[in-house]
Amino acid sequence: MQTYSQLCKEQRNIIEDLLNKNFTFTEIGKSINVDRRTISREVKRNRIIKSSLYLPFSNNGIDKATKMCDKLSLPPYCCNNCPHKSSCTNWHIYYNAKEAQKHYEEVLISSREGIDMTPEDINLINKNIIPLIKDKHQSVNQVYINHPDILWISKPTFYKYVDLHVINLKNSDLPRKVKYKKRKNNKNKISKRERALLIGRTYEDYVERISKDKTLIVWQLDTVIGKRNESKVLMTFLLVNTNFMIIRILDKCNVEQVDKEFTILKQILGIDVYKEIINIILTDNGGEFYDPVHMEYDLDTGEKISSVYYCHPNSPEEKAELEKNHEYIRYVLPKKTSFQNLTKEQVQKLEDNINNIPREILGDKTPYELTKEIYPNLIKKLNAKYIKPDNVTLNPKDILGDDNEK
């Protein structure tokens, strides 16, 4: 008889069936020609906990369940054949062949390669998904249904990353230093992350949505870069029907900085005004915008308050209104201008002046005037400034002063 063996799917099915029928480890081992110690290790390694507070393979959860019932410290180490399991109020531990096989395959793969996710992908899960599980006690299945754009990995992979401390279920946990598997740089290939992100958020979805509901209020979102290889960029956010533009300086062109600005915007506007005025956000495929949840949801209540859609790659014409408004920025900050010394005050002055320039498309009104007529709460909340016509300027010295580095 073998002393140890890698078990197959059929053998695991037999183990589960015989455990349910109250067979001993020795009897189960004989039936599939392996040693009883192999059965013991298999059950201990792949048993799962049934609790809303813990993931199936949580070691902490299994340890706590074992402390609740002394029988779980003895063979068969699970509740499969317990006659009292239907009335028992303790947490239950089971051996499930299907879950055991998935767990085995995931562990086997992980032992041979690195983590097939970028640090940004993991950060999005830790920031947006873990609070739902930890604080709101949502099940993994529930968050998978509601957030397929973020959870594009399989559930077994999710459990594996939790075991490896790649994904944090406790704020006090420190992530391990893991090896990230580099993806092949194929510009023509859409990654799993992008495919998941675009489900229900393509440009075609956007066109269909606004064609069915003409009352939706659309915003366009983008970034403007300064000198190459410098970190600071401008984030531009345009209310399409009035051409009112919000400009913010980002220290880095990444998800964290965009999320930070949208958090501030929600705080300034208040959720009710945000929900009322920002119905649709159309943006490009820049990685800095790859956290749609932060823009779409009230993170305190979980309510969806907006919808994000993504343009086709290299298609600036799909958000032409915003691209046109970028011309005003370039009057003051031409291409290859350094943004490193830009201050929030200078950027605000630039925003105010641009919003007070009259447009033929607006019936010769300014974005400020038209927005104040239609959305007075927005103007009030943002504390947007009116500038007399003759005082409006796009002279770099008027906006930036004499000391701005070009």
Side-chain angles (χ1 to χ4, degrees):
M1 181 179 294
Q2 297 171 315
T3 58
Y4 182 73
S5 174
Q6 295 291 349
L7 302 174
C8 64
K9 180 179 179 180
E10 290 72 24
Q11 289 174 314
R12 289 188 169 91
N13 287 332
I14 293 173
I15 292 173
E16 181 184 3
D17 182 59
L18 296 183
L19 281 174
N20 293 338
K21 295 177 180 178
N22 205 24
F23 280 57
T24 67
F25 285 170
T26 299
E27 292 169 333
I28 296 173
K30 288 181 179 179
S31 70
I32 59 175
N33 195 33
V34 299
D35 190 82
R36 61 180 177 81
R37 289 172 293 180
T38 298
I39 306 300
S40 177
R41 284 191 291 263
E42 169 65 14
V43 173
K44 285 185 175 181
R45 184 185 298 116
N46 290 316
R47 57 186 177 167
I48 59 176
I49 181 171
K50 293 287 187 178
S51 170
S52 61
L53 300 180
Y54 293 98
L55 297 175
F57 292 102
S58 169
N59 291 328
N60 288 338
I62 291 174
D63 289 342
K64 289 185 178 181
T66 302
K67 292 177 181 178
M68 291 181 180
C69 179
D70 293 338
K71 293 181 180 179
L72 291 174
S73 299
L74 303 171
Y77 309 114
C78 59
C79 305
N80 289 57
N81 60 8
C82 180
H84 306 295
K85 61 185 177 183
S86 60
S87 59
C88 177
T89 58
N90 293 333
W91 292 340
H92 294 168
I93 297 175
Y94 291 98
Y95 178 84
N96 180 281
K98 183 178 180 180
E99 293 295 330
Q101 182 67 22
K102 286 183 180 179
H103 191 223
Y104 161 75
E105 291 172 355
E106 290 294 324
V107 171
L108 179 63
I109 292 172
S110 69
S111 68
R112 296 175 178 174
E113 61 183 22
I115 304 301
D116 192 15
M117 296 178 72
T118 66
E120 289 77 15
D121 292 337
I122 294 171
N123 184 53
L124 288 180
I125 293 175
N126 284 332
K127 182 172 61 175
N128 295 306
I129 301 301
I130 297 310
L132 297 178
I133 297 173
K134 183 177 181 296
D135 300 332
K136 299 183 182 296
H137 303 301
Q138 293 188 12
S139 68
V140 173
N141 187 59
Q142 183 177 354
V143 295
Y144 259 83
I145 291 173
N146 293 329
H147 300 285
D149 52 314
I150 294 180
L151 293 171
W152 51 269
I153 57 175
S154 68
K155 289 180 186 177
T157 301
F158 181 91
Y159 298 140
K160 180 192 74 173
Y161 288 172
V162 171
D163 288 338
L164 294 175
H165 300 277
V166 176
I167 296 173
N168 305 319
L169 284 179
K170 292 183 178 180
N171 291 329
S172 59
D173 289 341
L174 294 176
R176 294 179 181 174
K177 293 183 178 180
V178 296
K179 178 183 177 183
Y180 295 94
K181 185 175 74 176
K182 293 183 178 179
R183 296 180 183 174
K184 295 180 179 179
N185 186 17
N186 186 344
K187 295 182 179 180
N188 297 320
K189 182 178 180 181
I190 299 177
S191 69
K192 290 182 181 179
R193 173 77 176 101
E194 289 172 304
R195 283 198 297 268
L197 187 77
L198 290 173
I199 295 175
R201 295 194 180 98
T202 65
Y203 186 74
E204 288 74 19
D205 295 321
Y206 160 75
V207 172
E208 181 180 0
R209 175 92 182 274
I210 63 173
S211 66
K212 291 180 179 178
D213 188 350
K214 303 295 184 182
T215 66
L216 291 171
I217 303 172
V218 178
W219 292 70
Q220 295 176 357
L221 178 66
D222 203 354
T223 50
V224 176
I225 64 172
K227 279 186 177 180
R228 295 286 181 182
N229 301 321
E230 288 189 345
S231 61
K232 286 191 176 183
V233 300
L234 297 178
M235 184 184 84
T236 55
F237 197 35
L238 182 84
L239 177 55
V240 174
N241 64 336
T242 69
N243 267 230
F244 185 87
M245 183 162 60
I246 298 172
I247 310 175
R248 296 293 183 263
I249 184 76
L250 306 183
D251 290 333
K252 292 183 179 179
C253 189
N254 59 23
V255 168
E256 288 73 21
Q257 289 293 308
V258 172
D259 285 354
K260 176 182 176 182
E261 290 302 327
F262 271 89
T263 296
I264 294 172
L265 185 60
K266 289 177 185 177
Q267 292 171 347
I268 292 173
L269 298 183
I271 290 299
D272 290 340
V273 174
Y274 186 100
K275 179 180 178 180
E276 176 189 355
I277 296 178
I278 305 177
N279 303 152
I280 301 291
I281 299 173
L282 179 66
T283 186
D284 61 22
N285 283 267
E288 66 271 24
F289 302 127
Y290 272 17
D291 185 6
V293 170
H294 206 91
M295 295 180 266
E296 291 179 332
Y297 285 84
D298 177 353
L299 300 182
D300 292 330
T301 66
E303 179 189 5
K304 187 173 183 181
I305 55 178
S306 186
S307 296
V308 175
Y309 297 93
Y310 293 89
C311 298
H312 292 106
N314 303 313
S315 301
E317 71 279 0
E318 292 176 351
K319 44 181 176 59
E321 293 84 358
L322 182 53
E323 295 295 335
K324 177 67 176 176
N325 270 265
H326 284 175
E327 294 179 8
Y328 295 109
I329 294 176
R330 289 306 187 187
Y331 291 151
V332 178
L333 301 167
K335 290 184 177 180
K336 298 183 180 180
T337 297
S338 174
F339 293 172
Q340 293 303 103
N341 293 332
L342 278 180
T343 66
K344 291 182 179 180
E345 291 73 22
Q346 290 171 328
V347 172
Q348 186 61 55
K349 186 181 290 187
L350 175 62
E351 174 188 308
D352 287 332
N353 276 275
I354 291 175
N355 285 329
N356 279 275
I357 297 174
R359 318 289 166 87
E360 289 185 13
I361 196 172
L362 302 180
D364 293 335
K365 292 184 178 181
T366 68
Y368 174 90
E369 291 170 333
L370 189 57
T371 304
K372 188 174 182 180
E373 289 179 13
I374 304 175
Y375 312 110
N377 281 340
L378 181 64
I379 294 295
K380 184 178 180 180
K381 294 282 188 178
L382 291 175
N383 195 26
K385 294 181 180 178
Y386 169 75
I387 301 177
K388 294 180 180 180
D390 289 347
N391 291 336
V392 174
T393 178
L394 290 181
N395 184 319
K397 288 187 177 181
D398 293 333
I399 302 293
L400 308 174
D402 295 326
D403 298 329
N404 189 70
E405 179 185 348
K406 293 290 185 73

